[in-house]
Amino acid sequence: MKKIMTIKKNDRLIIDITGTTSEGYGVGKSDEGIAIFVPNSAVGDRVDVLIVKVLKRYCFGKVMEIIKPSEYRQEVDCKVFLKCGGCCYRHTTYDAELKIKEQKVKDAIARIAGLNVKINPIVGADVPDNYRNKAQFPLVKNKDGNVEMGFYGFHSHRVVDTDTCLLQPKIFDKVMAVVKDYLQTTNETIYDETTHKGLVRHLYVRYGEKTGEVMVCLVINGDKLKNETLLVNSLKENIPNLKSVVINSNKEKTNVITGTKNRAIYGDTYIIDNLCGLNFRISPNSFYQVNHSQAEKLYNKAKEYANLTGKENLIDLYCGTGTIGLTMANECKSLIGVEIVPQAIKDAKLNAKLNNINNAQFICGDATKCGEKLKNDNISPDVVVVDPPRKGLTEDLILSIKAMSPKRVVYVSCDPGTLARDLKFFADNDYSPVELTPFDLFPRTSHVENVCLLVRNN
């Protein structure tokens, strides 16, 4: 029977939270069975909620009072938690967060793929805070003319001003303070995305967890800052292991943060970090996993699933700067990496050279088209690794992989829903998913990564 919406905006209801959405909202139901999504609530909470938005079949509410707290609830330790769009689980224990994420993966595989796959327990982080080795801070000027920087509010481009973030290393707080002081001192103009006027768009910071090297990058709507020497000297005085200060020019009307032109005003346009025993160059445009320790665990699991003996030909699709494939290169006969971003391919080649890896080649192109070309060139990989963006793989690419007939496919995914969809299509095309391991690469957020092994049916 269709439920009749009787709830109105500004109604107050007392509900029990019985579930969690993929974005980390608690879920409860009204007496009529209408679903109500409530941020900052945890399974087991009994809460008094104010209805703030009513749609045809469900509502959104705001916690006004916690009548009975969940056993999983903990005190929030961030002053901008309810404003910022970064974290969604700071009000719950980390153990509870891991259970939610593991169940999210199981539900997607059961509901979307309908497959019987062995799903291992989620691999949690040893330390769920201070893990991000990259941060991008949008900037605005407030009505008093003062510079504010921080993060966008959830599903908005409203900047939430903050001087710290618990997900990032403390050195980033110092960088924020130095840059803010520089911008105030020089009275540099701040970019306005509605008018496309003003200069400074983002502060972008990268950090090598193993090497300690720090990059500070300012993304600007132009080519040059006022008194760049002042900025460099201030950073050198305050930031240990500063290796790179870069001006990135982005003059486009776009939501893409960085442009393609980088100019070093101190050091080089890159820093170095070590991952899985290899050194990697990291430039402002490079893809590099933001959680170093968890990325090593994930890559080691991917290598385990690849089951290399030194005799295999390996193809790494969506290879980025080559990180996954290069960590396996010494255990395979040959490696071919494919990536559509030219700068990433350039970095992948440099990373291979940096680590004296001579059995790897990298191709710049769309993974689906390159998959078709590799198939037509009679390339016969023994193992294919795929690490696609959130939208997952195309059916054409899966069919191209099938035509190349590798023994194993290792699928690294950042979205359980598209992974489940693709596993079903693989299963319909002679490749059975046999084991899957979730990894929490982004603690306190709603995201969960997965590595899945598929084998070719006899």
Side-chain angles (χ1 to χ4, degrees):
M1 177 182 287
K2 186 177 179 180
K3 298 181 179 67
I4 300 173
M5 177 62 73
T6 58
I7 301 172
K8 302 184 295 296
K9 185 177 179 180
N10 295 326
D11 281 354
R12 293 278 289 266
L13 299 172
I14 295 175
I15 61 172
D16 294 312
I17 302 300
T18 57
T20 308
T21 72
S22 61
E23 292 182 328
Y25 287 5
V27 184
K29 289 187 177 181
S30 69
D31 291 341
E32 296 84 2
I34 303 297
I36 304 171
F37 302 127
V38 187
N40 191 30
S41 64
V43 172
D45 277 343
R46 185 170 179 81
V47 288
D48 177 2
V49 299
L50 172 70
I51 302 300
V52 296
K53 188 174 183 179
V54 178
L55 299 174
K56 287 185 178 180
R57 294 182 181 149
Y58 55 91
C59 308
F60 289 90
K62 175 183 177 182
V63 173
M64 303 304 290
E65 181 185 355
I66 300 170
I67 298 170
K68 179 185 175 184
S70 164
E71 62 178 308
Y72 305 120
R73 178 172 283 280
Q74 66 179 17
E75 186 176 347
V76 174
D77 52 2
C78 174
K79 62 185 179 182
V80 295
F81 169 56
L82 293 180
K83 299 177 183 177
C84 172
C87 297
C88 64
Y89 288 119
R90 299 217 75 90
H91 64 298
T92 61
T93 63
Y94 188 51
D95 284 345
E97 176 186 340
L98 291 177
K99 289 177 183 176
I100 291 168
K101 290 178 175 179
E102 185 177 310
Q103 192 60 47
K104 175 180 176 180
V105 175
K106 291 178 178 178
D107 289 346
I109 299 302
R111 179 173 52 85
I112 300 172
L115 297 171
N116 182 22
V117 183
K118 177 187 177 184
I119 300 178
N120 293 322
I122 189 169
V123 179
D126 297 327
V127 181
D129 281 328
N130 308 120
Y131 62 84
R132 287 193 63 92
N133 57 41
K134 178 180 81 169
Q136 297 158 322
F137 306 98
L139 296 99
V140 294
K141 273 196 175 180
N142 62 24
K143 61 182 180 181
D144 298 321
N146 295 319
V147 176
E148 294 184 349
M149 69 173 69
F151 304 96
Y152 289 127
F154 188 65
H155 285 182
S156 80
H157 268 220
R158 173 181 51 82
V159 174
V160 178
D161 186 39
T162 186
D163 56 5
T164 188
C165 172
L166 296 172
L167 299 186
Q168 66 193 25
K170 293 299 181 184
I171 193 68
F172 284 19
D173 297 351
K174 290 186 178 180
V175 173
M176 293 172 70
V178 170
V179 172
K180 185 177 286 189
D181 183 65
Y182 159 79
L183 294 173
Q184 292 287 158
T185 300
T186 58
N187 197 30
E188 190 63 271
T189 59
I190 304 301
Y191 180 73
D192 185 329
E193 64 182 9
T194 58
T195 63
H196 194 54
K197 294 181 179 180
L199 187 68
V200 184
R201 300 173 72 132
H202 278 78
L203 167 63
Y204 182 6
V205 191
R206 305 198 80 154
Y207 169 68
E209 185 171 315
K210 284 289 187 181
T211 62
E213 295 186 2
V214 177
M215 169 189 287
V216 177
C217 174
L218 280 169
V219 183
I220 65 173
N221 180 34
D223 298 304
K224 188 174 176 61
L225 290 166
K226 294 177 184 177
N227 201 343
E228 292 176 348
T229 302
L230 174 63
L231 174 63
V232 169
N233 289 340
S234 297
L235 288 167
K236 286 169 66 177
E237 289 172 9
N238 292 279
I239 308 302
N241 289 323
L242 180 73
K243 296 294 182 181
S244 172
V245 182
V246 177
I247 302 301
N248 175 271
S249 295
N250 183 359
K251 304 176 188 179
E252 302 298 320
K253 293 182 179 179
T254 176
N255 289 333
V256 177
I257 292 174
T258 56
T260 57
K261 181 181 176 183
N262 296 306
R263 176 172 61 90
I265 59 175
Y266 174 74
D268 295 308
T269 56
Y270 62 88
I271 58 174
I272 300 289
D273 197 25
N274 186 281
L275 183 72
C276 295
L278 300 179
N279 291 321
F280 290 96
R281 283 174 50 137
I282 308 168
S283 67
N285 306 94
S286 299
F287 172 78
Y288 190 70
Q289 291 283 3
V290 301
N291 189 328
H292 181 278
S293 60
Q294 286 295 93
E296 287 194 325
K297 296 177 187 177
L298 184 148
Y299 287 5
N300 285 332
K301 178 58 71 172
K303 185 189 293 188
E304 176 191 320
Y305 284 167
N307 193 24
L308 301 170
T309 64
K311 300 177 181 179
E312 292 83 5
N313 296 313
L314 172 67
I315 290 180
D316 181 8
L317 299 175
Y318 301 98
C319 71
T321 55
T323 47
I324 294 181
L326 289 173
T327 61
M328 301 182 187
N330 288 335
E331 298 180 31
C332 67
K333 180 181 178 182
S334 69
L335 165 67
I336 297 175
V338 177
E339 172 61 52
I340 197 170
V341 180
Q343 181 61 47
I345 286 294
K346 181 180 178 181
D347 286 343
K349 292 177 179 178
L350 288 169
N351 287 330
K353 186 176 181 180
L354 185 65
N355 291 283
N356 298 313
I357 293 173
N358 300 313
N359 63 338
Q361 62 173 304
F362 294 94
I363 301 169
C364 186
D366 174 76
T368 298
K369 293 178 181 177
C370 283
E372 181 71 18
K373 183 178 185 305
L374 291 169
K375 179 197 72 173
N376 292 337
D377 290 345
N378 294 317
I379 301 295
S380 300
D382 300 284
V383 180
V384 171
V385 175
V386 292
D387 185 9
R390 194 164 297 279
K391 64 183 179 181
L393 303 175
T394 65
E395 292 186 354
D396 286 343
L397 179 53
I398 293 174
L399 292 175
S400 293
I401 292 171
K402 174 187 176 182
M404 289 187 284
S405 195
K407 298 174 184 175
R408 294 176 294 282
V409 176
V410 180
Y411 193 145
V412 180
S413 167
C414 60
D415 187 280
T418 56
L419 171 64
R421 178 202 66 199
D422 292 347
L423 293 185
K424 185 177 188 306
F425 194 73
F426 266 116
D428 292 339
N429 286 278
D430 298 335
Y431 280 84
S432 298
V434 294
E435 185 174 321
L436 184 155
T437 305
F439 288 82
D440 189 24
L441 260 69
F442 306 96
R444 317 321 266 151
T445 78
S446 62
H447 304 294
V448 56
E449 299 266 327
N450 295 278
V451 184
C452 185
L453 169 64
L454 301 100
V455 297
R456 187 182 67 213
N457 299 335
N458 293 326

